Amino acid sequence: MKLNVIWETEATSAATRFLKDDPDGLRQVYEAVDLLAHEPRPPGSAELGSQYLRRIHIGRYRVVYEISESTITVVVMHLARVG
């Protein structure tokens, strides 16, 4: 089953800010997040207190997202740089 990927406004705003100085890094983030539609719990992702709330590191970025199988979506809630 393929899930829809939705970006919350806060995560989209962060991506826009990071895009200015790291377009290659953001390309990797978007490619990895797109893959969550097919595999929402990939190796390397971690639960954040619930099987539906997860975190994944992509290069120097951390993405926090929520899986909702009842509405068939992955909601990207937060994007931040690590380190």
Side-chain angles (χ1 to χ4, degrees):
M1 160 180 23
K2 181 180 177 188
L3 303 175
N4 294 314
V5 176
I6 298 171
W7 285 74
E8 290 283 335
T9 303
E10 176 187 334
T12 301
S13 296
T16 301
R17 284 191 313 272
F18 299 144
L19 181 63
K20 294 175 186 176
D21 68 327
D22 189 13
D24 290 333
L26 262 289
R27 181 182 44 76
Q28 291 174 352
V29 167
Y30 277 99
E31 288 173 359
V33 168
D34 285 347
L35 293 174
L36 295 175
H38 299 283
E39 177 52 64
R41 294 175 182 89
S45 68
E47 284 187 11
L48 291 176
S50 159
Q51 66 176 334
Y52 301 107
L53 188 61
R54 302 191 68 85
R55 175 189 69 224
I56 189 168
H57 289 271
I58 305 157
R60 61 191 271 198
Y61 296 93
R62 176 183 63 236
V63 176
V64 176
Y65 62 99
E66 183 176 34
I67 303 163
S68 176
E69 293 172 351
S70 64
T71 59
I72 312 174
T73 57
V74 171
V75 179
V76 178
M77 302 166 56
H78 184 75
L79 173 67
R81 282 190 181 153
V82 179

